[in-house]
Amino acid sequence: MKINLRIWRQHNGKEQGRLVQYSLDGVSGDMSFLEMLDLLNEQLTEKGEDPVAFDSDCREGICGQCGVVINGVPHGGQGVAQPVRTTTCQLHMRSFADGSTITIEPWKAAAFPVLRDLIVDRSALDRVIEAGGYISVNTGAAPDAHAVQINKKRSDRAFDAATCIGCGACVAACPNGSAMLFTSAKITHLAMLPQGQPERVLRVKRMVGEQDALGFGGCTNIGECAAVCPKGIPLESISQLNRDLIASLFKHDGKDD
Amino acid sequence: MAVTGLVLVIFLLFHMFGNLKILISVEDFNHYAGFLRTILNPILPGDTFLWMFRCVLLLCVVLHIWSAARVTKQDYKGKGGRGRYSIKKSLSPDNTYAARTMIWSGIIIVLFVIMHLLQFTIAPAAFGNPHDGPDGRAGMVFTAFGNWIFIVIYVIAMAAICLHVSHGFWSAFATLGANVSGLTRKVLRACSLLVGAVIFFGFLVPPFLIFFGVIN
């Protein structure tokens, strides 16, 4: 099949970016979206042009490296309407009609500066995790599996929240460039588990403080984040974060030293 | 923003309930309007309570606008300024027209409230309806809504408030942590629409009935 592409080209962070048109022949429906970009890059390289820079790693939908805005939707899936939520690498060209025009842009948010073309610097998400998205334990012999008990509902919820791969689609989809769904997934994950309790109160304050300091926008309960999340992190995670944040105001261990 | 917003919604519902007394009779309405100025008498003298109430409301309004300005600034910076994507699709059922235009409906409401206070509280005489006429405070209402211009202004203002509340009400609950599941979200959003609709119709029933001469 033949595809028309409009791709965001930007040489570096300082330069102004723009959309450039390409036409690509010989695309197979079985190709993944990234393989289609590989094909384009082969042709561009042969012609002596700069290939399109994009991020990718595992190409099986679990690492969170790839991610571009395709026709106005991060990862290009149709969100809640589509039964299978997808990362860009798991999106296949059979989802597009022959001869269609596809617009590809990078994640755009103040906290995600564009490095080149479709690659953005998502390390702001790492800074948010460093601010409190962990538990402090002394290493040693592993405890018995049944030594710490937890009910099924809470462990299921923790597991579901822990599936976040940190791809940043929530930030890209949010009209405010907010990272609340990302942060709240980690808050919910650790808040449900016994191991997360000792630092629970301070964690939420520090992570929210860090995400504000990094220049992410605020949450206005629009829900675009949850609609595009490839892992289906639900919008109610954000309310879990808010509950913990409000509770931290009334707790002694919520005060930073 | 959530807490002050909910306080203001409760005030609006109460204000609306008070307004509807004009449907019973002019005397009932005037009696109620007079009572508002003497609440907690004789514990507190004269209209002390009314002024305390006004101060609390004003504080809520100021804090609400202050936090709105803060979040608007943060959000504008967060998305990286103007002109973001060349195409952006909306997939969320919660991304409503009301949610996207909160700042504009808010600005309309602020302008309206200033006009509304001048018209009925601060300088009614300047609007040609002094509150010490033969029909008392109800008389002001009849004078105002005999004029089609005010009907138009109030319809626009109530539409703005209805939109603002239809997103703000559920959003406030979500911010306070009440959005615990998909089903809860549906219930909250339905309540939000209901409150918006009640405010819209509740406030507009008396002006329209007055304009068309059903009550006089």
Side-chain angles (χ1 to χ4, degrees):
Chain A
M1 57 200 260
K2 195 180 168 200
I3 297 286
N4 299 306
L5 297 163
R6 290 169 72 228
I7 302 182
W8 185 264
R9 302 303 308 260
Q10 186 171 347
H11 202 64
N12 54 44
K14 289 180 194 106
E15 201 180 75
Q16 194 71 31
R18 68 202 157 87
L19 285 167
V20 178
Q21 303 243 9
Y22 298 98
S23 184
L24 189 61
D25 220 343
V27 176
S28 146
D30 294 334
M31 282 181 176
S32 77
F33 199 83
L34 298 184
E35 284 167 337
M36 181 275 292
L37 286 176
D38 289 338
L39 182 70
L40 172 74
N41 278 346
E42 272 174 31
Q43 296 186 3
L44 288 179
T45 312
E46 275 169 20
K47 277 193 274 181
E49 290 179 36
D50 260 352
V52 178
F54 64 91
D55 254 338
S56 75
D57 192 1
C58 74
R59 298 208 177 193
E60 53 187 23
I62 56 170
C63 79
Q65 268 296 314
C66 65
V68 288
V69 177
I70 301 163
N71 289 339
V73 180
H75 291 304
Q78 289 304 305
V80 281
Q82 188 157 307
V84 181
R85 290 169 174 273
T86 179
T87 52
T88 305
C89 61
Q90 294 295 298
L91 180 70
H92 289 86
M93 294 313 292
R94 66 182 85 96
S95 313
F96 300 92
D98 191 12
S100 58
T101 300
I102 306 172
T103 304
I104 311 171
E105 291 177 87
W107 287 173
K108 286 186 186 172
F112 290 170
V114 174
L115 296 177
R116 189 184 176 112
D117 298 339
L118 303 174
I119 300 181
V120 299
D121 179 2
R122 288 175 297 122
S123 58
L125 295 182
D126 299 337
R127 301 290 94 75
V128 174
I129 293 294
E130 280 170 11
Y134 51 78
I135 56 164
S136 305
V137 285
N138 295 322
T139 52
D144 286 338
H146 59 283
V148 183
Q149 296 192 326
I150 176 170
N151 79 43
K152 173 104 169 57
K153 234 178 163 179
R154 285 176 81 92
S155 73
D156 282 354
R157 199 158 169 235
F159 267 112
D160 287 348
T163 56
C164 170
I165 52 176
C167 66
C170 45
V171 181
C174 177
N176 311 326
S178 171
M180 279 291 260
L181 194 70
F182 169 80
T183 308
S184 68
K186 191 51 65 193
I187 295 289
T188 306
H189 164 202
L190 296 176
M192 291 300 110
L193 299 175
Q195 293 88 343
Q197 300 312 312
E199 288 152 306
R200 178 172 180 178
V201 179
L202 210 47
R203 171 183 307 122
V204 63
K205 270 188 135 176
R206 285 185 176 159
M207 289 180 79
V208 171
E210 183 67 18
Q211 89 179 352
D212 285 354
L214 286 164
F216 287 106
C219 177
T220 51
N221 300 312
I222 299 284
E224 288 295 339
C225 50
V228 300
C229 177
K231 297 297 162 184
I233 304 291
L235 194 58
E236 45 265 33
S237 313
I238 296 179
S239 264
Q240 176 70 52
L241 180 150
N242 285 331
R243 280 201 298 282
D244 280 14
L245 189 64
I246 292 167
S248 78
L249 300 175
F250 302 99
K251 289 194 174 152
H252 180 257
D253 52 346
K255 305 282 173 286
D256 244 319
D257 297 325
Chain B
M1 184 136 65
V3 174
T4 51
L6 287 179
V7 170
L8 293 171
V9 167
I10 292 168
F11 164 73
L12 275 180
L13 288 171
F14 208 85
H15 183 354
M16 182 201 85
F17 185 70
N19 285 2
L20 291 174
K21 295 220 173 351
I22 207 162
L23 300 182
I24 304 172
S25 73
V26 167
E27 289 74 33
D28 269 287
F29 184 82
N30 283 338
H31 179 66
Y32 171 71
F35 163 75
L36 290 180
R37 279 148 188 84
T38 57
I39 298 174
L40 278 186
N41 282 2
I43 299 176
L44 294 171
D47 56 4
T48 315
F49 176 82
L50 183 71
W51 277 103
M52 283 161 58
F53 187 79
R54 283 170 175 170
C55 286
V56 172
L57 271 190
L58 185 66
L59 184 70
C60 282
V61 170
V62 169
L63 288 176
H64 195 72
I65 293 174
W66 173 75
S67 40
R70 218 173 136 234
V71 78
T72 304
K73 199 176 145 202
Q74 187 190 357
D75 293 351
Y76 184 78
K77 273 192 182 163
K79 69 176 171 182
R82 262 176 198 290
R84 204 173 165 203
Y85 298 110
S86 65
I87 309 175
K88 184 71 177 74
K89 263 192 213 137
S90 159
L91 297 173
S92 164
D94 304 318
N95 190 355
T96 53
Y97 178 76
R100 287 190 296 272
T101 55
M102 287 301 270
I103 185 78
W104 301 111
S105 52
I107 289 169
I108 293 174
I109 294 167
V110 169
L111 294 176
F112 165 74
V113 167
I114 292 171
M115 188 215 82
H116 182 63
L117 287 178
L118 286 172
Q119 184 183 15
F120 286 114
T121 308
I122 301 169
F127 283 80
N129 52 349
H131 64 78
D132 43 9
D135 282 330
R137 294 182 187 276
M140 297 202 300
V141 181
F142 281 101
T143 321
F145 295 120
N147 190 340
W148 66 269
I149 293 172
F150 286 116
I151 296 283
V152 171
I153 291 175
Y154 275 72
V155 168
I156 293 170
M158 289 311 125
I161 291 177
C162 175
L163 281 175
H164 204 78
V165 170
S166 73
H167 174 71
F169 191 75
W170 101 264
S171 185
F173 278 100
T175 300
L176 294 174
N179 172 24
V180 289
S181 70
L183 179 66
T184 317
R185 189 153 61 248
K186 282 203 184 103
V187 173
L188 284 175
R189 288 184 66 217
C191 288
S192 208
L193 286 176
L194 182 71
V195 172
V198 164
I199 287 177
F200 184 77
F201 290 108
F203 273 112
L204 285 179
V205 161
F208 271 92
L209 291 185
I210 290 168
F211 186 71
F212 291 109
V214 181
I215 47 174
N216 45 45

